Amino acid sequence: MADFSQLREAVLTGNAPAAVAAARQALDAGVDPVELVNQAISPAMEEVGRLYEAGEYFVPELLLAARATKEVFQLIRPLLAQKDIPPAARVVLGTVQGDLHDIGKNLVGAMLEGGGFEVIDLGVNVPPEKFILAVEEKQAQIVGLSALLTTTMPAMKKTLDVFRTAGIRGRIKVMIGGAPITQSYADSIGADAYGENAAAAVAIARKLAGR
Ligand code: B12
């Protein structure tokens, strides 16, 4: 396995130029961009979250780490898109209403793109109606909902309820995720699947798309 310690360190310290340089070096050495996300970026951002919770990091450190990640994604996104995989399905992705966390959702989106999915990312604080419009407009088969707050988990249920009322629930598969989400919560609100992390999201989306 490639040594990602420099890249991880650069993300952890929010050093965007060093992160981009380390990522470029790894890619030039032939590392698969999907592996780079799985083995370096995702664990580094999860560690950033832990450090914040432990009171060792504060908001500025978080935002710097997120920016470093974003710049690395700018480098690898075109490579992910080039991978020789037929488009699997269209996924509408967003963080539910009331919730502004998007680091995990962005990782999920990038990994899905890497897995050959077309991703329509609606951003954060997305009301149910906006998901519906995107599903209709893009003829998407899968919807991915993210929530990081226990207080916004009910917005996932509400979103699914509005899908049912609007008559689109039968046409789409819904997967959900985010730190407070569990399989039993997904079952309780009638979601089709729960994914623990970005790598799981790809495997689940493949299954939901019937691949
Ligand atoms: C970063 C962060 C912020 C940043 C967000 C920046 C951004 N652009 O996202 C800022 C500083 C803005 C922020 C604000 C707030 N935050 Co905050 N934040 C975090 C923190 C530290 C890390 C979250 C993160 O990015 N983790 C790293 C990513 C990679 O992990 P992830 O998000 O879990 O995503 C992975 C999986 O969950 C999964 N996944 C995620 N989404 C999806 C979707 C699908 C479909 C699938 C399949 C999988 C999946 O895959 C991802 C990749 O592997 C967490 C603590 C933590 N450790 O979770 C608190 C945390 C979530 N925040 C919290 C709180 C309370 C807040 C605020 C209310 C604080 C305040 N008083 O203002 C506000 C809320 C603002 C709002 N309305 O949303 C609490 C929530 C507590 C609770 N019980 O609900 C936490 C848990 C911290 C804590 N322990 O108190 N926060």
Side-chain angles (χ1 to χ4, degrees):
M1 198 177 86
D3 176 14
F4 291 120
S5 53
Q6 276 184 335
L7 177 53
R8 271 201 218 110
E9 187 59 24
V11 170
L12 276 173
T13 54
N15 186 339
V20 170
R24 186 167 284 135
Q25 205 180 354
L27 295 168
D28 288 348
V31 168
D32 183 336
V34 173
E35 193 192 336
L36 190 138
V37 176
N38 272 335
Q39 306 289 336
I41 305 289
S42 282
M45 286 313 293
E46 278 158 22
E47 178 62 11
V48 168
R50 275 193 292 276
L51 288 167
Y52 179 79
E53 279 194 286
E56 289 179 45
Y57 269 21
F58 299 93
V59 174
E61 284 94 341
L62 276 180
L63 298 180
L64 283 173
R67 197 183 65 185
T69 301
K70 214 170 175 176
E71 292 199 15
V72 172
F73 273 126
Q74 274 169 12
L75 179 71
I76 60 177
R77 184 163 277 127
L79 302 173
L80 291 171
Q82 266 170 29
K83 282 171 70 70
D84 192 20
I85 306 166
R90 282 196 196 102
V91 184
V92 170
L93 185 65
T95 302
V96 295
Q97 193 159 33
D99 201 318
L100 303 176
H101 295 84
D102 68 356
I103 296 169
K105 186 255 310 157
N106 293 345
L107 284 174
V108 168
M111 287 298 289
L112 286 170
E113 282 179 2
F117 290 86
E118 184 181 334
V119 177
I120 299 106
D121 187 344
L122 302 180
V124 297
N125 191 23
V126 182
E129 298 73 20
K130 199 169 165 189
F131 281 109
I132 293 173
L133 279 176
V135 165
E136 301 280 17
E137 196 187 318
K138 302 285 181 181
Q139 293 296 303
Q141 296 88 349
I142 300 173
V143 174
L145 304 177
S146 180
L148 262 286
L149 298 170
T150 46
T151 50
T152 55
M153 287 167 67
M156 286 185 157
K157 179 179 181 317
K158 185 184 163 200
T159 304
L160 280 163
D161 289 344
V162 177
F163 287 173
R164 283 184 201 102
T165 315
I168 67 156
R169 182 65 185 96
R171 279 196 271 136
I172 49 168
K173 300 286 183 190
V174 180
M175 60 176 180
I176 67 172
I181 309 302
T182 59
Q183 182 65 55
S184 67
Y185 180 70
D187 294 341
S188 77
I189 64 168
D192 296 297
Y194 156 71
E196 195 182 351
N197 53 44
V202 178
I204 290 163
R206 287 213 175 105
K207 211 166 152 192
L208 294 178
R211 288 177 180 250

